[in-house]
Amino acid sequence: MIKRFIVICITIIGSAAFAQQGTSSPYSFYGIGSLKFKGTVENQSMGGIGVYLDSIHFNLKNPASYAGNALNGPYFNGESRPVKFTVAGTMTNTTLKSNSGDAKANTAIFDYLAVSVPIGKFGVGFGLLPYTSVGYRLDDINDDSVLQNRFSGEGGLNRVFAGMGYQVTEKLSVGVDFNYNFGNIQNNALDVEYADDGDVVQYQTVEYNRSDLSGLNLNFGLNYKTMVTDKLELSATATYAPGSKLNSDNVRSYSAVTVDATTLETTATSSTIDADLEAQNLKNTKLTLPATLSFGVGIGDPKSWFIGTEYTYQSTSDFSNPVFSNDISTYENSSKIAIGGFYIPDYNAFSGYYKRVVYRAGLNFANTGLVIKDESIKEFGISFGLGLPVGRRSFFSNANLGLEFGKRGTTNQNLIQENFINFNLSLSLNSRWFEQKKYK
């Protein structure tokens, strides 16, 4: 039964990975797209906090999680920690609200795939995840309600990471992730022309831009835990990712196309001219990936309950893209505050499955750092989640379900407000690969 359930979960996540674009947000038009990386489903279900680290759950936000204390109990006997494997996907339903009307969109995306292996006081982790996503279609309509331009885009930035953690003392662990970022962003702009009678002409001009991105960056993490009473444990975390550069290889071209008069979809391309970006010093450019700093603190009764908060700051004002810029948007430094936690009725219950279920909840407030027409784009979310035990109870594996209700943006200045619902599904599987031999 458990194996069948795991196969079903992986099938759903695999379908989400290839079903659609990862976002339908009009705000992915700006910068390098909308941020998709928000931690594991466990993190997201607690408002996005990454302050809780233990030996049985992956924490993609803090590489110090690769190290930790050995587990007591069957199969581990205080000798080791489990090998951790996790995979996840997200489906999103979005309502786009403007002063002129509403629209709905559905997307699905693969969230992450990661493995962590313990090596004594050390631990290593590696994996793959989408970092940002681009997916939009925007219409530029003048005061006479006439369509002048149509903008569309797709792509995003992906990340492959490998990291190491080290347990300095029983209370303190540190770690570092090495990230290779890669991907491409494609932006199209259709300049809509009309005949004298007001009908759309058959032949139009499309500007096509593509940027292939690549670059390295680091993420440092620290985790400190201590018992403040017989039952209460204090946790504190910090992470820092220095600012880094992304190499951008750029292409721009202009095409004469034939379009459908009703939908404006391109039906044929008759000719294409490549722009000389080298003469403009835009063929190869560098983008700044802003520095990120976070602090978190929490308290709880281990294996029973936990509540924590985390503050994240990002120097988004450093970002610029000389190839694809506009006059209505700028960037300011971004910040986020998240609060969340979990509750387990009785993790070691021999009867009553739901007593071992992990119940999670949280909320977050964020200033995304994007400013459009002098309006700061802000985001709010409230989340809930369940951690359902699967497989052999001694390995503490879980299927994790998460649900987030959120809002991004505003209808002020004729902008768009997004009301979204995220449904997250992940598998967090643990196993033991190595066991010390005992001789009598």
Side-chain angles (χ1 to χ4, degrees), residues 150-219:
R150 172 166 289 175
F151 304 97
S152 61
E154 61 183 13
L157 191 67
N158 303 303
R159 172 172 289 178
V160 174
F161 69 90
M164 177 175 289
Y166 176 69
Q167 187 177 22
V168 182
T169 69
E170 187 175 334
K171 298 179 179 181
L172 177 67
S173 59
V174 295
V176 59
D177 273 329
F178 300 87
N179 304 314
Y180 175 67
N181 305 291
F182 65 97
N184 67 79
I185 296 175
Q186 302 172 50
N187 299 288
N188 299 325
L190 172 65
D191 183 16
V192 184
E193 298 290 342
Y194 296 88
D196 293 338
D197 60 3
D199 291 337
V200 175
V201 300
Q202 185 178 13
Y203 297 100
Q204 304 283 346
T205 301
V206 174
E207 177 185 318
Y208 170 78
N209 289 278
R210 176 179 172 124
S211 296
D212 290 290
L213 308 173
S214 62
L216 299 170
N217 77 304
L218 302 173
N219 182 40

Side-chain angles (χ1 to χ4, degrees), residues 174-299:
V174 295
V176 59
D177 273 329
F178 300 87
N179 304 314
Y180 175 67
N181 305 291
F182 65 97
N184 67 79
I185 296 175
Q186 302 172 50
N187 299 288
N188 299 325
L190 172 65
D191 183 16
V192 184
E193 298 290 342
Y194 296 88
D196 293 338
D197 60 3
D199 291 337
V200 175
V201 300
Q202 185 178 13
Y203 297 100
Q204 304 283 346
T205 301
V206 174
E207 177 185 318
Y208 170 78
N209 289 278
R210 176 179 172 124
S211 296
D212 290 290
L213 308 173
S214 62
L216 299 170
N217 77 304
L218 302 173
N219 182 40
F220 299 94
L222 178 147
N223 176 48
Y224 178 79
K225 287 186 174 184
T226 186
M227 298 299 296
V228 293
T229 70
D230 290 342
K231 291 187 175 181
L232 292 181
E233 182 180 58
L234 175 70
S235 298
T237 58
T239 64
Y240 176 63
S244 61
K245 297 293 184 180
L246 288 175
N247 298 313
S248 180
D249 298 325
N250 310 304
V251 173
R252 177 178 294 162
S253 63
Y254 301 91
S255 298
V257 298
T258 304
V259 300
D260 182 283
T262 303
T263 64
L264 294 181
E265 296 295 330
T266 299
T267 57
T269 301
S270 57
S271 63
T272 299
I273 299 174
D274 293 327
D276 187 4
L277 293 183
E278 197 148 9
Q280 306 173 52
N281 293 321
L282 295 176
K283 180 69 175 175
N284 305 105
T285 57
K286 290 187 180 294
L287 310 181
T288 298
L289 206 58
T292 304
L293 177 67
S294 74
F295 297 97
V297 64
I299 196 166

